[in-house]
Each structure stands twice: as structure tokens, then as C-alpha cells.
């Protein structure tokens, strides 16, 4: 350990003024870092999404610093107050859990602080994207995190279509009530791609389940998932068996006309729409 590091672990220096982006645990409170505790204890004010949520963390780590509610829709007075304070004192920014700004508020504040020449620094720590990725067993040399999948069917498909050909593992945040529908949509497009569902990371009921989207959709239909979820889609692989166009058409015909089903499958596979339409008519009459 170098000297500078051991000094900061022992908190021998007062914090300099500025904005400190502080990651907090995503479940297990033991994941709070020594630097996070140091900054939260010694800063002038903590900007947080919800004072009740952050208040619980502060109680657990025995910190009594005052809090100020902040999100990206906060009034300009609140932002100005935080920026003014950060010019002369240390100000911490936290979110309810994990790393601020990652699908969480903070972007506008960081941007404004940088523009104002305020010292901005980060105290890294837990982040569900990374925790889920490392647990999933999916390739992680490259990955693409795309926040939450849209809730509406068409918008969700559009996003999957947009990202699907990229040769990386895709990572999304997801919620229990939406998981099954998302898995069904993924299964329609990529029946053979490897999927992982990482749930309740760092908590008592942490689990990571892998399989095809359809297998997982069936599982979660029978066992509705509770808690917080990271959904991961493995990269497309050359040797993965491609979906049988007949299977895709049959599935699309469940809720679409032959013409629409042919259009959907043409989009997914790049096959000729007219040929698919003729085949859809045959399958419909079988
Ligand atoms: N900024 C946070 C971070 O660094 O992970 C993420 C905030 S985002 C509003 C909340 C989403 O993160 C949840 O809906 C879930 O998808 C994911 N998440 C947070 N904690 C998690 C956990 N313990 N296990 C699995 N997913 C989690």
C-alpha cells in the first residue's frame, strides 16, 4: 500500500472543498467503503434522493451529517445551494443505493459543478451493473449497459432490435413485475442466446439464474421474482443455432396476422418478407 493510500484510509487530512460522488451499498451494508464513511462523516452536507433511505445508512454507520434532498428535477435554488457550498466546503452526492448517476440522479449537478470549476471527485463502490455482470458468467471483455428496458412492447422491441447485433453482453436494469414480459420479448427475437437474471445482489436471497429467455420466462412465471434485478443477454455467437423461421412465425402468428408476422420475422432474421408471408399463410392453415 502506498503512503498516500494509507494516509487517506486513516483520514489524516481534512477533506478539501468540492463535490464528492459517493457510492453506497446495493444491499449489504458491509459494502460501504472506508472512504465513503470518511467523506459522509466529514462533509458539510449530503445531497441525497430520499432522506429516509440515506438516513438509514447514516444511522448504521453512525454519521450525523445533515442531508439535503436532491434529484435532477430539484429546484435551481437547491442546485445553487449545493454548488455554492461546494466552492468552500466538501459536499457529498449519494443516491438511494449504488453509484450515483448510473440510472440515478446527479448528472446535472456534476455537469454544473464541472462548468463552475468546482473540484469534483468520485468515491467508487457498489454498482449493480458490475455486480451482475461479474456474477453472470457471461463474456465481460466488452459489455453494453443500457439502463432500463422500456415498458411498452413496441419501444422494448425497438431497443432490442437496435442493440441486438452488437457483439457484446447487453446489461439492463429490470423490475420483478416486468421481467417475464421482457424475457418473452427477448425469447421471440433470440431464442438461443444465453440470458442471465441476477437478483437481489449482495442480499440474503441473492441468486443468478442462467438459461434461454423462454426457460427463464417459464421459471419466473411459476416463481414471480421479488426484489431488484439485473438482466443480461449474452452476445450473439456464430455457432449458436439460429432460430427456425417456422418457430418464429408460429410464435408471431399467436398475436399477429400473417402479414404482420412475416414483417416481424423478416426484421428479426433478415429473410425475405414475401417468402415468409407465403409460409405464414401455410402455417396458419395447418
Ligand atoms: N445507481 C444504482 C447502481 O449503481 O446500481 C442503480 C440505481 S437504479 C434506479 C435501480 C436498479 O438497479 C434496480 O431496479 C435494479 O435493476 C438494479 N439494482 C439495484 N440494486 C440491485 C441489487 N441489489 N440486485 C440486483 N439489481 C439491483
Amino acid at each position: 500500500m502506498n503512503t498516500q493510500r494509507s494516509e487517506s484510509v486513516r483520514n489524516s487530512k481534512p477533506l478539501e472543498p468540492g463535490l464528492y460522488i459517493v457510492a453506497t451499498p446495493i444491499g449489504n451494508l458491509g459494502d460501504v467503503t472506508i472512504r465513503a464513511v470518511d467523506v459522509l462523516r466529514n462533509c458539510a452536507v449530503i445531497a441525497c434522493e430520499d432522506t429516509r433511505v440515506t438516513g438509514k445508512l447514516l444511522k448504521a454507520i453512525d454519521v450525523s451529517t445533515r442531508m439535503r434532498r436532491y434529484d435532477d428535477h430539484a429546484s435551481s435554488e437547491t442546485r445553487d445551494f449545493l454548488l455554492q457550498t461546494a466552492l468552500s466546503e466538501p459536499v457529498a452526492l449519494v443516491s438511494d443505493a449504488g453509484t450515483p448517476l448510473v440510472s440515478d440522479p446527479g448528472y446535472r449537478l456534476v455537469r454544473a459543478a464541472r462548468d463552475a470549476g468546482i473540484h469534483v471527485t468520485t468515491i467508487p463502490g457498489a454498482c449493480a451493473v458490475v455486480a451482475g455482470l461479474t456474477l453472470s458468467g457471461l463474456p465481460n471483455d466488452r459489455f453494453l449497459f443500457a439502463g432500463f428496458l422500456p415498458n411498452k412492447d413496441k419501444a422494448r422491441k425497438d431497443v432490442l432490435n437496435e442493440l441486438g447485433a452488437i457483439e457484446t453482453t447487453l446489461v439492463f436494469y429490470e423490475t420483478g413485475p416486468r421481467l417475464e414480459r421482457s424475457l418473452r420479448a427477448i425469447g421471440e427475437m433470440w431464442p438461443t442466446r444465453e440470458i442471465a437474471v441476477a437478483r437481489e445482489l449482495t442480499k440474503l436471497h441473492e441468486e443468478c439464474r442462467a438459461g434461454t429467455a423462454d426457460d427463464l420466462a417459464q421459471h419466473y412465471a411459476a416463481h414471480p421474482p421479488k426484489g431488484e434485478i439485473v438482466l443480461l443477454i449474452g452476445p450473439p455467437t456464430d455457432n449458436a443455432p439460429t432460430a427456425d423461421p417456422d418457430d418464429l412465425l408460429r410464435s408471431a402468428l399467436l398475436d399477429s396476422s400473417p402479414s404482420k408476422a412475416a414483417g416481424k420475422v423478416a426484421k428479426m432474421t433478415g429473410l425475405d418478407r414475401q417468402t415468409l408471408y407465403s409460409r405464414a399463410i401455410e402455417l396458419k392453415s395447418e
Side-chain angles (χ1 to χ4, degrees):
M1 190 185 279
N2 69 29
T3 324
Q4 205 182 358
R5 244 182 226 171
S6 52
E7 271 176 11
S8 69
V9 165
R10 287 192 212 114
N11 182 26
S12 59
K13 281 197 274 182
L15 294 174
E16 58 178 298
L19 179 64
Y20 292 70
I21 304 162
V22 181
T24 57
I26 56 170
N28 189 323
L29 288 184
D31 294 336
V32 69
T33 67
I34 295 171
R35 284 182 76 210
V37 176
D38 177 24
V39 170
L40 295 175
R41 179 166 292 140
N42 294 303
C43 65
V45 60
I46 300 171
C48 61
E49 282 183 271
D50 184 331
T51 53
R52 285 163 307 179
V53 174
T54 299
K56 281 187 196 153
L57 171 70
L58 297 189
K59 194 164 178 226
I61 59 175
D62 197 20
V63 165
S64 54
T65 307
R66 74 186 158 130
M67 292 175 277
R68 179 86 179 234
R69 210 190 78 72
Y70 175 81
D71 62 29
D72 283 330
H73 308 292
S75 65
S76 53
E77 289 84 54
T78 299
R79 194 153 41 242
D80 289 348
F81 162 79
L82 293 169
L83 294 171
Q84 277 303 318
T85 309
L87 281 168
S88 55
E89 292 177 279
V91 170
L93 168 70
V94 299
S95 58
D96 282 352
T99 300
L101 282 84
V102 179
S103 294
D104 263 341
Y107 168 77
R108 284 172 200 263
L109 184 65
V110 168
R111 187 88 199 185
R114 296 185 68 84
D115 287 349
I118 290 168
H119 170 67
V120 181
T121 188
T122 185
I123 314 295
C127 182
V129 185
V130 175
L133 185 71
T134 52
L135 197 59
S136 69
L138 291 172
N140 53 42
D141 48 337
R142 307 194 323 152
F143 69 93
L144 192 153
F145 170 61
F148 285 91
L149 270 173
N151 200 14
K152 296 229 163 84
D153 291 352
K154 173 155 183 344
R156 188 196 294 114
K157 275 203 171 159
D158 287 347
V159 169
L160 292 173
N161 262 323
E162 181 195 343
L163 303 178
I166 304 173
E167 304 230 335
T168 65
T169 292
L170 303 175
V171 189
F172 299 96
Y173 284 158
E174 191 47 278
T175 66
R178 298 174 4 165
L179 177 65
E180 194 195 331
R181 282 175 80 88
S182 295
L183 288 169
R184 299 250 180 241
I186 294 165
E188 266 183 33
M189 300 176 81
W190 307 306
T192 58
R193 264 167 95 157
E194 199 180 351
I195 311 295
V197 173
R199 204 173 59 79
E200 293 290 83
L201 294 162
T202 77
K203 302 184 196 175
L204 187 61
H205 298 293
E206 174 181 287
E207 73 161 7
C208 184
R209 193 170 280 274
T212 65
D214 285 345
D215 289 347
L216 291 169
Q218 265 181 33
H219 172 82
Y220 287 112
H223 307 92
K226 293 202 181 107
E228 302 192 278
I229 293 165
V230 180
L231 171 61
L232 303 102
I233 304 176
T237 53
D238 289 343
N239 56 4
T242 39
D244 180 346
D246 275 7
D247 287 344
L248 294 176
L249 279 172
R250 278 194 198 94
S251 157
L253 282 167
L254 292 176
D255 60 1
S256 307
S257 65
S259 163
K260 281 207 169 133
K264 277 185 193 172
V265 177
K267 211 168 170 190
M268 283 179 212
T269 60
L271 294 173
D272 176 61
R273 185 185 176 132
Q274 195 53 45
T275 313
L276 288 166
Y277 176 66
S278 307
R279 183 66 186 139
I281 301 275
E282 283 171 17
L283 289 173
K284 183 115 186 144
S285 59
E286 267 176 9

